[in-house]
Structures are given as C-alpha cells and as structure tokens.
Amino acid sequence: ELLGQPWVLNVWGTWCGGCRQEHDTLLAIARTKTVPIVGLNWKDDNAAAQVWLQQLGNPYAVVAEDREGRTAIDFGVYGAPESFLVDAQGIIRWKHVGPLTPAVVEEILLPKLAELSR
C-alpha cells in the first residue's frame, strides 16, 4: 500500500501532550488522502493507544508499535511528536520536530510533497 509513493511517519504516544495537539491536523491530512500516514506508537501501552485512536479517530494507514523505542532510535527521534516525509524510495526528505499544525502542513509539508511528485 505504501510502496512506490511518498508517505509520512508520525511518532506519537498517548502520554504526549503535543501529540494530542496535532491529532486534528493529522485527521485533516488523512481526510484529503494526499499522503498516507504511518503512526509509530512510541514507548506506549498498546491498549491505551487503541483506546486513543477509537476515541479521537485514526488518521493512520498503518500503526506500528515501538514499545522499547528501538525503531525511533533508527530514525533519530528524541521526542514526540516528530514527523518525517519519506519518499517513494524510502529516503527521509524532511523532518519536523513538534506538533504538526495546519500552517506547517500548508507551507512546508505539501510543497515538499509536490516536489517529490515532479
């Protein structure tokens, strides 16, 4: 489903205040179907994560679990939320530390996504 196209990796946790802040923005991106979002549930309880997604909505095409934090280390994550734009070849093209906002999506993410589509 994700192969051959750009996608966004979003590192999040139910314990993360900034993750709750950005959740509506992620849902808005998902509704547009512009780019799939992979959620990396980081250092969290899987049951709590499932409840969170049921209550707030699930913007993710795929949810991966990183309870120990090892996958996040491979991406250079040092806090949540963090988001990465990954190109169709699997190369990270952009990293955003902190909550995604509508302004960041409009002014940075969407133009970078358009560049990858050229």
Side-chain angles (χ1 to χ4, degrees), residues 6 34-35 85 93 105-118:
T34 308
V35 62
L85 178 59
R93 296 298 181 173
V105 170
E106 287 295 321
E107 296 166 16
I108 303 171
L109 176 60
L110 293 180
K112 289 198 175 292
L113 189 59
E115 285 174 22
L116 294 180
S117 300
R118 285 192 196 131

Side-chain angles (χ1 to χ4, degrees), residues 65-88:
E65 187 180 338
D66 188 19
R67 191 174 298 204
E68 303 301 319
R70 290 192 182 96
T71 302
I73 287 170
D74 293 340
F75 279 89
V77 170
Y78 58 90
E82 288 188 21
S83 296
F84 301 82
L85 178 59
V86 183
D87 72 14

Side-chain angles (χ1 to χ4, degrees), residues 15-72:
W15 46 267
C16 162
C19 299
R20 186 171 285 268
Q21 270 181 286
E22 77 174 359
H23 199 77
D24 284 342
T25 301
L26 295 173
L27 288 169
I29 294 168
R31 275 193 298 274
T32 68
K33 299 187 184 324
T34 308
V35 62
I37 306 169
V38 173
L40 183 64
N41 184 238
W42 187 48
K43 295 185 178 181
D44 204 354
D45 175 70
N46 193 40
Q50 294 303 319
V51 169
W52 160 292
L53 294 173
Q54 286 168 2
Q55 289 177 342
L56 299 179
N58 185 350
Y60 303 114
V62 177
V63 178
E65 187 180 338
D66 188 19
R67 191 174 298 204
E68 303 301 319
R70 290 192 182 96
T71 302

